[in-house]
């Protein structure tokens, strides 16, 4: 709710701006901070509400963004033509107040409520990463023995810095940092690229609507597929394919001629983009577990700010240097394809390590149970022998 108020305030204040620095402060700082307050609670609460069908829930939740993008591209043009940029900011400020309504609907979960019988095993079962990783076993041991780790400073109360020792988190972070250099730039330059080919403004803006429409239906469909029993146990491979698919899509874009070619690119790009967005936070939750997801997504979004901010300006610099957009799309394709291949390779080895650690954990547990049962069996055997006498 606070985030929605901040975004609305930033938009309204921007309508009174007289300088570009005023717009940077209102839209960029105030509005951006408000959106951050909206994003992380919304992502965290999905993991709290849903366990069995969490990928599907993430896909449906992420489908809201392309709905707005589908309507906002032509709406912004209409508002600008009808009311000017000041009036547009005022109207958009009133629209984003609906974030407060969404925040009011997010209620705490009653932990005492018993889950349904069909969902209980899945809800109580730890993920493969949680069950097998040494970090999880150490944390569990600390909780059981009541140890207080006083060496951790005040920072650890808000951010789980031990995630930087987490194998799956580091794989996710390294790949995503490279990926985000080329993730948003094709969306930003889609309409300018169309105008550069001599297409009128409304037809160029309509490409974004086509892209958003396909994206809107792809996200819940991806969540449904990711929730299937064939995909979810190895959902990291699905995410790797989605990232690689984006890279191939951008590499092929300059080869598609005319407006019809751009429409085909917008459809394929919407499909690829929607797959990545639907899986982006689900795979992180699958890697680190729901109990560490809040800290993990906070760290990831902080570090990813750099490539998100630098990606479009670097792409724009390529356009200025070479005087055309092909080099920009080739660069974005490489930025997406390389981390996609990286994810495939690293998750293959990560899954092998997880399976090995899980087998070792099961073996240790069985050995511990056998050692605990031996004294009892010996006592029972002694009593039976004495009774026979």
């Amino acid at each position: 709710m606070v985030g929605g108020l901040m975004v609305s305030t930033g938009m309204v204040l921007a309508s009174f701006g007289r300088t570009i620095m005023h717009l940077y402060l209102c839209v960029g700082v105030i509005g951006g901070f408000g959106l951050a307050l909206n994003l992380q609670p919304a992502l965290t609460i999905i993991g709290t509400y849903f366990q069995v069908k969490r990928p599907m829930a993430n896909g449906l939740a992420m489908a809201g963004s392309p709905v707005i993008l589908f309507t906002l591209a032509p709406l912004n043009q209409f508002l600008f033509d009808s009311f000017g940029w000041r009036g547009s900011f005022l109207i958009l400020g009133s629209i984003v107040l609906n974030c407060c309504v969404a925040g009011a609907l997010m209620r705490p979960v009653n932990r005492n409520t018993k889950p349904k019988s069909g969902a209980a095993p899945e809800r109580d079962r730890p993920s493969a990463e949680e069950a097998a990783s040494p970090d999880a076993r150490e944390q569990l041991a600390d909780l059981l023995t009541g140890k207080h780790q006083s060496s951790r400073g005040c920072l650890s109360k808000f951010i789980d810095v031990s995630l930087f020792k987490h194998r799956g988190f580091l794989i996710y972070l390294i790949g995503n940092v490279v990926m985000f250099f080329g993730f948003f730039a094709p969306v930003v330059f889609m309409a300018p690229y169309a105008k550069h080919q001599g297409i009128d403004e409304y037809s160029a803006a309509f490409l974004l609507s086509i892209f958003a429409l396909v994206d809107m239906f792809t996200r819940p469909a991806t969540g449904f597929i990711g929730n299937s029993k064939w995909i979810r146990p190895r959902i990291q491979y699905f995410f790797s394919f989605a990232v690689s698919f984006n890279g191939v899509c951008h590499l092929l874009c300059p080869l598609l001629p005319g407006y019809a070619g751009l429409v085909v690119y917008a459809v394929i790009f919407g499909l690829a983009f929607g797959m990545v967005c639907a899986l982006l936070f689900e795979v992180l939750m699958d890697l680190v577990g729901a109990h560490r997801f809040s800290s993990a997504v906070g760290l990831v979004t902080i570090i990813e700010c750099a490539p998100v901010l630098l990606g479009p300006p670097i792409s724009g610099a390529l356009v200025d240097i070479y005087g055309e957009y092909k080099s920009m799309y080739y660069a974005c394709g490489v930025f997406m394809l390389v981390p996609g291949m990286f994810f495939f390779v690293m998750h293959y080895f990560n899954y092998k390590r997880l399976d090995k650690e899980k087998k070792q954990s099961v073996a240790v547990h069985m050995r511990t149970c056998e050692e605990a049962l031996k004294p009892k069996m010996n006592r029972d055997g002694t009593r039976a022998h004495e009774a026979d006498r």
Side-chain angles (χ1 to χ4, degrees), residues 45-248:
I45 208 162
I46 292 174
T48 305
Y49 283 167
F50 302 96
Q51 291 292 329
V52 178
K53 297 183 179 180
R54 192 180 64 210
M56 191 183 302
N58 273 305
L60 288 171
M62 291 296 175
S65 298
V67 172
I68 296 299
L69 182 60
F70 174 70
T71 56
L72 205 59
L75 178 62
N76 276 339
Q77 191 69 42
F78 171 76
L79 292 177
F80 181 78
D81 293 341
S82 303
F83 304 100
W85 66 270
R86 295 183 186 273
S88 300
F89 272 122
L90 281 173
I91 295 172
L92 291 175
S94 63
I95 292 175
V96 296
L97 278 175
N98 287 284
C99 295
C100 300
V101 179
L105 295 175
M106 296 180 183
R107 310 299 300 171
V109 176
N110 185 5
R111 300 285 183 179
N112 297 323
T113 303
K114 293 183 179 180
K116 296 179 180 179
S117 57
E122 185 73 25
R123 183 180 296 274
D124 297 333
R125 187 189 307 138
S127 65
E129 186 77 13
E130 292 172 321
S133 65
D135 294 337
R137 291 199 298 269
E138 290 175 5
Q139 288 186 352
L140 182 60
D142 290 344
L143 289 173
L144 293 175
T145 56
K147 292 181 180 179
H148 179 68
Q149 299 176 351
S150 58
S151 60
R152 293 183 181 180
C154 296
L155 183 64
S156 63
K157 295 180 180 179
F158 304 99
I159 299 176
D160 188 2
V161 292
S162 66
L163 285 167
F164 289 108
K165 300 179 182 179
H166 193 286
R167 185 173 61 246
F169 177 78
L170 291 176
I171 294 172
Y172 180 89
L173 184 62
I174 293 170
N176 275 24
V177 167
V178 179
M179 180 188 76
F180 273 106
F181 276 104
F183 190 59
F184 292 108
V187 182
V188 175
F189 289 98
M190 185 184 295
Y193 178 44
K195 295 176 184 177
H196 181 74
Q197 293 189 352
I199 298 168
D200 63 276
E201 292 185 358
Y202 277 93
S203 297
F206 187 63
L207 288 173
L208 285 174
S209 298
I210 296 173
F211 160 80
L213 181 65
V214 177
D215 184 15
M216 177 173 57
F217 288 101
T218 301
R219 296 193 189 196
T222 302
F224 178 79
I225 296 171
N227 198 67
S228 63
K229 61 181 180 180
W230 301 282
I231 300 296
R232 189 171 184 183
R234 292 291 187 266
I235 198 170
Q236 304 298 334
Y237 291 144
F238 192 26
F239 179 65
S240 305
F241 167 76
V243 176
S244 303
F245 185 30
N246 269 268
V248 174

